[in-house]
Amino acid sequence: MQTDQAFTFVLFGGTGDLSMRKILPGLYQAHRDGVLGKAGRFIAVARAAPDREGYLDWVNSHVRSHVPKAAFEDEAWQSFLERFDYVRLDATNPEDFHKLARAVGSGEGVRVFYLATSPSLFVPICRSLADNGLSERARVVLEKPLGYDLKSSRAINDAVGEIFAEEQIYRIDHYLGKESVQNLLALRFGNVMFEPLWRREWVESIQITIAEKLGVEARGDFYDKTGALRDMVQNHLLQLLSTVAMEPPLSMDSESIRKEKLSVLRALKPLPLNDISKVAVRGQYTSGVINGQQVPAYRDEQEVPPDSNTETFVALKAEIENWRWAGVPFFLRTGKRLAESKAEIVVNFRPVPHSALGPSVLQTVGNRLVIQLQPQESIRLYCLAKQPGPGMQLQSVHLDLEFDEFLKSSRMEAYERLLLDVIDGRLALFVPRDEQEAAWRWVEPILEEWSRPEKSPKFYSSGTWGPAAASAMLAKHGTTWLEEEN
């Protein structure tokens, strides 16, 4: 995948945490790999650095540690930095955008405006871009969360939609750019043996987990206004669910893929308004030990109120009311300060209807597909085999697709892939407005229930797998989370 076209890439929030950890490392790797056209240039926009030299010093100090050591090359890094201009700008001051207009100029190629800022700045920035003639030949990238509920999301989309056409708006969800998510589609739709099994007759349950060892770090003020439900469930987890559960698209073009994912989100069974607690667990971490170090409780983190009820953990049961998935529970889980950092999809197939080999506790263990998204990207198929020796003793074995080991070719990171897609105008891996609003609509009953002041989260110790209620929810369906079974 390579782009040769001219472009101007403008990064708002150029000194922010997301830019340092994800966006700039992704752009650097695309530059190093030679897949960015030489006519492309970058303009960073921020308030923190006084000038270009100060900005590049900031980048040197904050970005290099987030670039994989194997990918860092001094010559490539220096030539990458040479492609940057810098504009010191206050995004809330429309007058400052004259400076940006001069820096962008009227050169050829597309203009990409990446808004790695608070959602409250999306509309003011877009209006100032339009007022200064910068909306032509433009694409605007909006980071999540887009608003704080359905109403605010619609307000932002309406205002941005007055300036940019829908095909110019790229709502990014970096999980959709992961190699293993793309391989999930290849696994399903490129191999005849899996598609017949991908339905309620053969699938007992599906688990989707995004777990982090990290706490809120220095983002307490932002996180306390957001919480895990808005930060992770409404976007990442529901996007992964719709990718797992979608019908085969007519083709891999953006329109076909988006149509099938939207159908899944619209088929989500409405949550029970009278008893959300049956299908949703809300947790918050207390102090505990992570990697041998004592870590503080969420309420003791910087810029977090001491009586905060914001959730740092969510576990949900979702159901899809369509022909393929009726009756199959989808268990979604995310949290901070958990025992392990991982993201994975677990497809539990039904045990054989009658075992001629005798009863075995391994029946469910041996009928499972595990798609790991991070820390390593892999696909592992578990099945049962006979142990060597007399008798018919079974053991669980697995077939692995370890991308790094098997495919050998260098793997493209999620942000690198998605940034190239924006420049080239590929929309398939970005979230359209109707998908986003369908997701907000489904989680709104939970937002409303948890907003009641008397509703407090269930506490869990840092370094564990969250509240016991999350395990109890699965136990009612005769199953467990993957790590509990092991």
Side-chain angles (χ1 to χ4, degrees):
M1 184 166 63
Q2 181 169 351
T3 178
D4 294 318
Q5 68 172 305
F7 65 87
T8 299
F9 189 101
V10 180
L11 177 58
F12 285 86
T15 56
D17 182 65
L18 180 64
S19 295
M20 300 299 107
R21 291 186 299 108
K22 297 293 185 182
I23 301 170
L24 291 177
L27 287 173
Y28 161 72
Q29 293 203 68
H31 167 83
R32 189 209 63 164
D33 294 342
V35 294
L36 285 175
K38 293 181 179 180
R41 64 193 184 108
F42 310 117
I43 301 175
V45 175
R47 289 185 299 177
D51 52 28
R52 180 178 183 273
E53 183 178 351
Y55 178 72
L56 295 183
D57 287 342
W58 181 285
V59 171
N60 267 314
S61 300
H62 292 80
V63 177
R64 289 179 60 161
S65 62
H66 297 293
V67 176
K69 290 183 179 180
F72 189 84
E73 300 171 5
D74 282 324
E75 185 177 348
W77 178 252
Q78 293 305 317
S79 61
F80 173 63
L81 295 183
E82 288 170 5
R83 301 178 74 165
F84 271 88
D85 287 326
Y86 174 74
V87 175
R88 191 179 190 186
L89 180 150
D90 180 352
T92 63
N93 182 6
E95 297 300 318
D96 277 3
F97 281 76
H98 297 308
K99 295 184 290 184
L100 179 61
R102 288 195 297 269
V104 172
S106 57
E108 296 181 355
V110 298
R111 298 163 175 169
V112 174
F113 297 100
Y114 198 119
L115 276 52
T117 67
S118 164
S120 63
L121 294 176
F122 290 173
V123 175
I125 289 174
C126 289
R127 284 176 176 159
S128 293
L129 291 175
D131 291 343
N132 286 273
L134 294 173
S135 58
E136 297 178 3
R137 309 195 316 273
R139 294 164 189 159
V140 59
V141 185
L142 304 181
E143 267 289 347
K144 61 90 179 172
L146 195 71
Y148 294 95
D149 54 20
L150 179 59
K151 181 180 178 181
S152 60
S153 176
R154 281 175 170 167
I156 293 173
N157 276 318
D158 285 344
V160 174
E162 292 176 0
I163 300 161
F164 296 100
E166 178 65 19
E167 60 269 20
Q168 293 178 280
I169 303 172
Y170 291 68
R171 301 172 188 86
I172 194 167
D173 187 325
H174 73 273
Y175 273 84
L176 298 181
K178 288 183 175 292
E179 197 72 46
S180 47
V181 175
Q182 302 303 300
N183 266 296
L184 171 60
L185 298 179
L187 189 77
R188 279 193 62 190
F189 305 134
N191 298 282
V192 70
M193 59 182 161
F194 283 108
E195 179 55 28
L197 302 178
W198 217 262
R199 61 189 65 248
R200 59 187 173 83
E201 291 88 350
W202 307 112
V203 175
E204 190 168 65
S205 66
I206 293 178
Q207 300 174 16
I208 305 177
T209 293
I210 302 177
E212 298 178 89
K213 278 187 175 181
L214 291 174
V216 298
E217 306 307 304
R219 300 166 67 236
D221 182 59
F222 161 79
Y223 195 89
D224 201 65
K225 296 182 178 69
T226 307
L229 187 67
R230 294 181 176 93
D231 191 42
M232 300 296 290
V233 176
Q234 184 273 334
N235 39 73
H236 295 329
L237 283 168
L238 288 183
Q239 281 297 314
L240 291 177
L241 180 149
S242 62
T243 302
V244 170
M246 65 188 281
E247 293 296 317
L250 292 176
S251 70
M252 297 308 289
D253 65 76
S254 60
E255 183 178 352
S256 298
I257 292 175
R258 288 172 155 199
K259 176 185 175 183
E260 300 305 338
K261 287 171 59 188
L262 177 61
S263 294
V264 172
L265 293 173
R266 286 178 171 170
L268 283 170
K269 183 178 180 179
L271 295 166
L273 298 178
N274 58 334
D275 201 349
I276 292 292
S277 63
K278 287 184 178 179
V279 295
V281 176
R282 176 194 193 193
Q284 187 187 99
Y285 65 81
T286 59
S287 61
V289 177
I290 299 279
N291 296 333
Q293 300 290 323
Q294 188 73 27
V295 297
Y298 175 74
R299 293 180 176 184
D300 295 328
E301 298 278 15
Q302 295 179 17
E303 300 183 314
V304 173
D307 59 349
S308 173
N309 279 338
T310 297
E311 75 283 354
T312 62
F313 175 95
V314 177
L316 297 172
K317 175 196 166 191
E319 293 183 73
I320 301 170
E321 295 185 309
N322 64 14
W323 191 270
R324 182 183 291 267
W325 295 113
V328 177
F330 286 72
F331 297 108
L332 314 180
R333 176 178 58 163
T334 186
K336 290 187 173 294
R337 290 291 189 212
L338 297 182
E340 185 181 341
S341 291
K342 68 175 182 179
E344 67 184 10
I345 300 166
V346 181
V347 181
N348 291 312
F349 295 103
R350 297 188 186 279
V352 295
H354 171 71
S355 177
L357 303 175
S360 172
V361 296
L362 292 172
Q363 287 296 334
T364 54
V365 179
N367 292 271
R368 171 177 293 149
L369 183 69
V370 178
I371 301 129
Q372 190 173 78
L373 309 178
Q374 61 186 40
Q376 300 297 323
E377 298 188 8
S378 65
I379 295 177
R380 178 171 287 185
L381 177 64
Y382 288 83
C383 52
L384 294 179
K386 177 187 174 298
Q387 290 184 5
M392 185 57 72
Q393 296 297 317
L394 302 180
Q395 70 179 52
S396 177
V397 298
H398 53 263
L399 307 173
D400 279 352
L401 174 56
E402 297 279 358
F403 299 122
D404 291 341
E405 294 294 324
F406 186 77
L407 298 177
K408 301 300 181 184
S409 58
S410 61
R411 183 181 60 192
M412 184 172 286
E413 296 295 332
Y415 267 91
E416 181 182 358
R417 174 194 305 277
L418 294 172
L419 293 168
L420 287 171
D421 279 359
V422 177
I423 293 169
D424 281 341
R426 291 186 288 265
L427 282 160
L429 301 183
F430 295 85
V431 183
R433 174 173 179 166
D434 46 12
E435 268 186 50
Q436 188 179 72
E437 293 188 358
W440 275 121
R441 195 175 296 111
W442 188 75
V443 303
E444 277 227 310
I446 310 175
L447 289 172
E448 293 174 7
E449 175 74 6
W450 290 354
S451 67
R452 294 161 57 186
E454 70 272 16
K455 294 290 183 177
S456 60
K458 298 181 183 299
F459 296 103
Y460 63 96
S461 297
S462 293
T464 67
W465 278 106
S471 299
M473 183 172 66
L474 269 70
K476 293 176 183 177
H477 294 271
T479 188
T480 62
W481 297 106
L482 181 61
E483 74 282 344
E484 294 175 337
E485 186 175 274
N486 293 338

